[in-house]
Amino acid sequence: MDYSRKISERMWNLPDKGELEAQREQSFIDDIVQKAHIEKELLQNLDGISTAFDGGAGSGRFSILLAKMGIHVTHFDISQPMIDKARKLAEAEGVLEKIAFIKGALEDLSDYVDRSFDLVLSFDAPISYTYPKQEEVIRNLVRIARKRIMISVSSRLGALPYLANPLQKHQFILDKNSSDRWIQWCLENKDKMTDSFKFSKEACEKALATGFMGDVEEAKQAYDRGEAPWCITYHFMPDELLHILQQNGVKNIKLAGPGAFARTIPNEILVKIMKDPEQKNDFLDFCHEYDSNPYVCGMGKDNLFAKGEIL
């Protein structure tokens, strides 16, 4: 059984996934930082781009942005609730005719011939959910790109601190009075999470060596019981991702770690910055500059970002 694909299909097709995904930038500051970084990169690299493929496009955060720039976008996602939400948002933005909505899995891009799209993008780590086919998926994303590719994958060095910090998401809560169920769960269980925590050197060393933060077999067993566990997630090292892209002929590759700067700042200060439009804009600009430094790329909050040229 192709567990990774089946688990992803079940988890992302839960009925509320479209709405939850669309609200993330209103809920968590790390999502604001990450998406601001990607948006800046996209808008700075659209010269000569008229068609784009957005793989794992979710609720349309970037496919709609590109459509508003006049680009014809193929919005490709495994989740029907995500696609439905993206379609509504695209209609509200007046760009429905610029977007083709396709339901599918990144493990199968056989419908697309080589060099089909000027720009290929895949953000927020759907590639990492395709284990053990993640390298094949990257190869096929490069294959269908004509000019440029931009992707983000789960970062091994960036995610590893989670194993020593059960409260890591609390740092990025934008509004503690939010009705978001995840935010309220985090707040209600803060003491329990702290009291029950025990640092495991063994778990950290295993994750560093293998790229998995959780137990793969446990996720498979949960799926077999009829549950909807989090996707099996493979976390990349920076040099590993660089090597895979180079092997597939991508040139002028640059890596970044969105969230590397923001993760050093406490919640109270982050919230204060986000509530002041001028400070927020300046902060996001500096985050982009800092997080693009190759010396910090592996320590992005969740994702490792890469962009390159198809020459």
Side-chain angles (χ1 to χ4, degrees):
M1 178 186 287
D2 186 351
Y3 272 102
S4 286
R5 180 169 174 176
K6 294 295 186 182
I7 289 173
S8 292
E9 285 175 342
R10 182 178 292 175
M11 200 273 282
W12 291 112
N13 278 283
L14 292 172
D16 61 352
K17 283 300 178 183
E19 289 296 331
L20 290 175
E21 178 72 11
Q23 295 171 9
R24 283 172 59 186
E25 281 182 271
Q26 285 74 52
S27 303
F28 292 101
I29 296 167
D30 52 338
D31 284 301
I32 295 172
V33 171
Q34 180 174 296
K35 288 176 171 57
H37 185 108
I38 292 171
E39 179 173 309
K40 184 179 287 287
E41 289 291 342
L42 278 175
L43 295 179
Q44 289 177 349
N45 290 277
L46 293 181
D47 53 299
I49 302 299
S50 60
T51 60
F53 176 90
D54 190 352
S59 57
R61 173 65 170 81
F62 297 111
S63 54
I64 291 172
L65 172 68
L66 292 174
K68 290 169 74 173
M69 302 301 295
I71 293 168
H72 291 274
V73 184
T74 295
H75 177 112
F76 186 92
D77 201 90
I78 201 170
S79 165
Q80 192 60 49
M82 294 281 201
I83 291 172
D84 292 343
K85 181 63 178 179
R87 191 186 297 274
K88 289 180 181 178
L89 293 173
E91 185 175 15
E93 293 289 343
V95 293
L96 200 55
E97 75 285 354
K98 289 283 188 181
I99 304 177
F101 296 93
I102 306 295
K103 185 178 181 183
L106 287 177
E107 291 91 335
D108 182 8
L109 298 177
S110 58
D111 285 346
Y112 302 103
V113 300
D114 296 2
R115 307 296 179 256
S116 292
F117 304 93
D118 294 330
L119 170 65
V120 168
L121 52 142
S122 181
F123 296 136
D124 211 11
I127 292 168
S128 285
Y129 305 150
T130 65
Y131 172 83
K133 298 181 179 180
Q134 69 274 13
E135 291 191 31
E136 178 186 341
V137 168
I138 292 175
R139 181 166 63 251
N140 276 306
L141 288 171
V142 173
R143 177 184 64 79
I144 65 174
R146 185 181 301 121
K147 296 182 179 180
R148 200 161 294 134
I149 184 167
M150 295 186 191
I151 61 175
S152 65
V153 299
S154 294
S155 169
R156 190 176 311 185
L157 296 175
L160 247 170
Y162 295 175
L163 297 181
N165 181 13
L167 305 181
Q168 57 85 22
K169 202 64 179 177
H170 290 72
Q171 179 184 1
F172 299 100
I173 293 174
L174 183 58
D175 178 9
K176 293 182 179 180
N177 296 315
S178 169
S179 60
D180 186 295
R181 295 195 303 277
W182 189 13
I183 289 178
Q184 293 310 313
W185 184 92
C186 287
L187 295 173
E188 291 166 4
N189 289 273
K190 182 177 181 180
D191 290 343
K192 183 188 299 184
M193 294 162 73
T194 303
D195 293 343
S196 63
F197 173 74
K198 182 179 179 181
F199 178 74
S200 171
K201 179 184 176 183
E202 181 183 0
C204 288
E205 289 181 335
K206 181 180 179 181
L208 184 60
T210 66
F212 297 105
M213 301 297 129
D215 190 309
V216 172
E217 291 306 314
E218 202 172 271
K220 293 178 180 179
Q221 292 169 17
Y223 176 85
D224 287 338
R225 291 194 300 267
E227 300 171 17
W230 185 261
C231 307
I232 296 172
T233 307
Y234 179 77
H235 297 74
F236 289 77
M237 293 290 280
D239 56 348
E240 176 188 15
L241 180 61
L242 179 65
H243 180 65
I244 294 169
L245 290 169
Q246 288 174 334
Q247 275 191 318
N248 287 284
V250 182
K251 306 296 183 182
N252 302 326
I253 302 165
K254 293 186 178 180
L255 304 180
F261 185 66
R263 76 187 309 165
T264 68
I265 301 170
N267 175 260
E268 295 85 353
I269 301 301
L270 287 173
V271 171
K272 183 176 181 180
I273 291 170
M274 290 296 117
K275 289 185 176 180
D276 182 318
E278 185 176 351
Q279 287 189 64
K280 177 181 177 181
N281 288 336
D282 287 347
F283 178 75
L284 293 176
D285 282 345
F286 184 75
C287 281
H288 179 267
E289 182 179 350
Y290 182 99
D291 297 346
S292 296
N293 189 300
Y295 290 101
V296 303
C297 70
M299 282 301 290
K301 172 62 171 52
D302 292 298
N303 284 187
L304 174 62
F305 172 87
K307 64 178 179 180
E309 303 294 324
I310 313 297
L311 301 176

